[in-house]
Amino acid sequence: MNKNHIGITSANGWPFLPFKERFAIYQRLGFHSIMLWWGEGEKETREDRVVLAKEHNLQIENVHAEMEYSNSLWKPGPHGDQKIQEHIEAVKDCDKYDIRRIIIHLTNGDSPPDISDVGLKRIELLIECAIKHDVILAIENVRTDKHIKYVLDNYKDKHVAFCYDTGHANLWCKDTDWLSMYADRLVAVHLHDNGGIEDDHTFPLTGTIDWADVMQKINKSAYDGCLSLETEYMGNGNTEQLENFLRTSYQSCCNLALL
């Protein structure tokens, strides 16, 4: 892991600041890289987002696919077909803009549909696309673990890998030691904290996560990226408060680097 580089999610400042203003703040505060939102809701196109990141000297660590309606992947019908096609187009756009890692959610909520043949066929189509375009699918740990474990355990290609979200692990599937199970396939991290009750996305070292253990395991893993923060400013359109939030986020990551 490159502890000298600190990244941030592009969600900070949404929706009240356009990307150009957000990225200018990230650059000014010393962030080296960005995790780009690749889904819906932004005014700027994907191409605009990539161009602006480069203009502000922010390396694109990875992008995050749209999360909504992920459960449809496992159900027969047009909604699931549309969802997998959405992911396929997102992967193609990654290749178009020379981005090699995309974060994917396999399910939504506490009670997703069972693993199904139709779902696996769709996942296989996505993996074929990822291989063709040399883009790594980083499967993120979410509320339930069954689908994630099945895909990671049964599809061993190097283009199928793991994204570890520290806040999610502190809330859900607490008996699953993700970092030990998939250390050799870790390609992305979302670093943020919470008190074990809500998905707060607050600063590392302020909640109940055992950061010494987390950092030790990440350091021993195959992860070769930067310290990527997924702390998210939840306030109003006050730019000064946003900047203070980001400064504190940055310093918390500097403290993590010392562990």
Side-chain angles (χ1 to χ4, degrees), residues 28-45:
R28 184 169 67 252
L29 295 181
F31 290 99
H32 300 88
S33 66
I34 192 77
M35 296 186 291
L36 274 182
W37 175 242
W38 216 230
E40 301 298 322
E42 298 286 5
K43 295 179 180 178
E44 297 85 351
T45 66

Side-chain angles (χ1 to χ4, degrees), residues 127 136-139 148-164 178-188 221-223:
I127 293 171
I136 296 174
L137 305 172
I139 310 300
I148 302 163
K149 289 178 179 177
Y150 188 94
V151 170
L152 290 175
D153 291 346
N154 287 278
Y155 299 94
K156 300 290 190 177
D157 189 272
K158 67 179 182 179
H159 294 86
V160 183
F162 180 56
C163 168
Y164 181 69
W178 295 108
L179 288 175
S180 295
M181 292 174 64
Y182 302 113
D184 60 335
R185 300 174 72 181
L186 184 65
V187 298
S221 76
Y223 181 62

Side-chain angles (χ1 to χ4, degrees), residues 14 37-42 46 49 64-67 86:
W14 182 86
W37 175 242
W38 216 230
E40 301 298 322
E42 298 286 5
R46 287 173 179 170
R49 301 172 212 181
H64 200 306
E66 178 63 57
M67 302 175 292
E86 174 187 295

Side-chain angles (χ1 to χ4, degrees), residues 70-71 73-74 103-110 112-116 119-120 123 127 137-156 160-165 168-169 172-174 176-179 181-183 185-186 188:
S70 295
N71 284 345
L73 290 170
W74 305 97
I103 313 302
I104 300 287
H105 286 201
L106 293 181
T107 60
N108 294 120
D110 295 321
D114 288 336
I115 295 168
S116 64
L120 293 175
I123 296 299
I127 293 171
L137 305 172
I139 310 300
E140 182 176 351
N141 58 304
V142 288
R143 289 176 180 264
T144 60
D145 59 2
K146 181 170 64 174
H147 299 70
I148 302 163
K149 289 178 179 177
Y150 188 94
V151 170
L152 290 175
D153 291 346
N154 287 278
Y155 299 94
K156 300 290 190 177
V160 183
F162 180 56
C163 168
Y164 181 69
D165 186 297
H168 292 177
W172 308 305
C173 307
K174 293 186 179 183
T176 301
D177 187 353
W178 295 108
L179 288 175
M181 292 174 64
Y182 302 113
R185 300 174 72 181
L186 184 65

Side-chain angles (χ1 to χ4, degrees), residues 57-224:
N57 295 318
L58 293 166
Q59 176 182 327
I60 300 173
E61 184 77 5
N62 53 59
V63 300
H64 200 306
E66 178 63 57
M67 302 175 292
E68 293 295 323
Y69 310 113
S70 295
N71 284 345
S72 67
L73 290 170
W74 305 97
K75 300 176 182 178
H79 295 299
D81 294 338
Q82 180 179 341
K83 184 65 183 179
I84 201 62
Q85 189 60 40
E86 174 187 295
H87 281 338
I88 286 171
E89 293 303 318
V91 167
K92 290 179 179 179
D93 277 349
C94 284
D95 188 20
K96 179 179 178 180
Y97 300 115
D98 196 25
I99 298 166
R100 295 299 148 200
R101 296 174 182 178
I102 183 169
I103 313 302
I104 300 287
H105 286 201
L106 293 181
T107 60
N108 294 120
D110 295 321
S111 302
D114 288 336
I115 295 168
S116 64
D117 288 340
V118 67
L120 293 175
K121 287 178 180 177
R122 289 177 178 139
I123 296 299
E124 288 165 5
L125 285 175
L126 182 60
I127 293 171
E128 289 175 9
C129 178
I131 293 170
K132 178 180 178 180
H133 292 277
D134 194 23
V135 174
I136 296 174
L137 305 172
I139 310 300
E140 182 176 351
N141 58 304
V142 288
R143 289 176 180 264
T144 60
D145 59 2
K146 181 170 64 174
H147 299 70
I148 302 163
K149 289 178 179 177
Y150 188 94
V151 170
L152 290 175
D153 291 346
N154 287 278
Y155 299 94
K156 300 290 190 177
D157 189 272
K158 67 179 182 179
H159 294 86
V160 183
F162 180 56
C163 168
Y164 181 69
D165 186 297
T166 58
H168 292 177
N170 198 47
L171 292 170
W172 308 305
C173 307
K174 293 186 179 183
D175 293 332
T176 301
D177 187 353
W178 295 108
L179 288 175
S180 295
M181 292 174 64
Y182 302 113
D184 60 335
R185 300 174 72 181
L186 184 65
V187 298
V189 295
H190 291 167
L191 305 176
H192 57 102
D193 214 333
N194 60 59
I197 299 173
E198 298 289 341
D199 192 15
D200 297 320
H201 286 261
T202 190
F203 317 117
L205 300 167
T206 60
T208 58
I209 292 174
D210 184 347
W211 284 101
D213 179 65
V214 168
M215 294 304 293
Q216 181 183 50
K217 288 177 178 176
I218 293 176
N219 287 333
K220 291 180 178 179
S221 76
Y223 181 62
D224 61 358

Side-chain angles (χ1 to χ4, degrees), residues 16-33:
F16 65 91
L17 282 180
F19 262 109
K20 186 174 183 178
E21 292 182 41
R22 280 184 248 174
F23 285 7
I25 293 172
Y26 305 157
Q27 181 184 29
R28 184 169 67 252
L29 295 181
F31 290 99
H32 300 88
S33 66

